[in-house]
Amino acid sequence: MSYTTIWLHCVWSTKNRECIISNTFRPILLNHIREKASDKGIVLDYINLHKDHVHALINLGRKQNIADVMQQLKGESSYWINKMNVMPVKFYWQDDYFAVSVSQSQLVRVREYIKNQDEHHRKLTWEEEVKQFLKRYNF
């Protein structure tokens, strides 16, 4: 048997970073993403979202790859959102995403970062956060 532990911090945004995820819809969407991730064998350790983007801590399975996992999470959830007809316009996630590996020693710190998105974005815009990520991870 093969054993792997590959932790990823993944971030993706709404199309054109539109702020269309309401506070009332957030818990419903989070719950849906958690359930569907579990159904697909995706270990979603922690997830949170803001009005225009999602942060997730994922433990990648040994037969999974980043592109497939992201497509499954984003594709299924956007399909479901549109089927539910809860947005004023057709809903899309941005094609791009951000994913970096996380060491075991940093899991608590990353969970806290993901947990505190609302507070974090009172001080920092999405654009500023993206610039920080690009700089921090040498993109």
Side-chain angles (χ1 to χ4, degrees), residues 61-139:
R62 65 186 179 92
K63 292 186 176 182
Q64 295 172 326
N65 66 62
I66 299 167
D68 288 347
V69 167
M70 294 305 296
Q71 193 283 323
Q72 289 173 345
L73 293 174
K74 291 166 52 183
E76 192 288 324
S77 61
S78 63
Y79 172 80
W80 177 78
I81 290 167
N82 287 319
K83 184 175 144 190
M84 295 292 293
N85 200 28
V86 294
M87 296 288 171
V89 295
K90 187 158 178 146
F91 182 84
Y92 297 97
W93 294 114
Q94 192 97 336
D95 288 339
D96 299 334
Y97 57 87
F98 168 87
V100 294
S101 60
V102 177
S103 70
Q104 195 78 25
S105 65
Q106 295 299 310
L107 292 177
V108 171
R109 185 185 65 77
V110 173
R111 281 186 199 113
E112 282 301 309
Y113 180 82
I114 294 170
K115 177 182 173 185
N116 294 314
Q117 282 301 293
D118 287 339
E119 181 180 322
H120 174 74
H121 285 292
R122 285 189 194 105
K123 303 172 189 167
L124 197 67
T125 67
W126 166 247
E127 291 81 12
E128 292 167 330
E129 182 179 46
V130 168
K131 285 179 186 176
Q132 280 185 356
F133 280 142
L134 295 175
K135 185 177 180 181
R136 182 180 302 142
Y137 297 104
N138 297 315
F139 285 106

Side-chain angles (χ1 to χ4, degrees), residues 12-26:
W12 64 95
S13 71
T14 59
K15 183 82 170 183
N16 300 319
R17 295 188 302 268
E18 293 180 89
C19 298
I20 58 174
I21 302 172
S22 70
N23 286 341
T24 55
F25 186 59
R26 283 170 63 177

Side-chain angles (χ1 to χ4, degrees), residues 50-61:
H50 198 60
K51 55 190 171 185
D52 60 353
H53 67 284
V54 178
H55 285 260
L57 181 60
I58 297 169
N59 191 346
L60 200 62

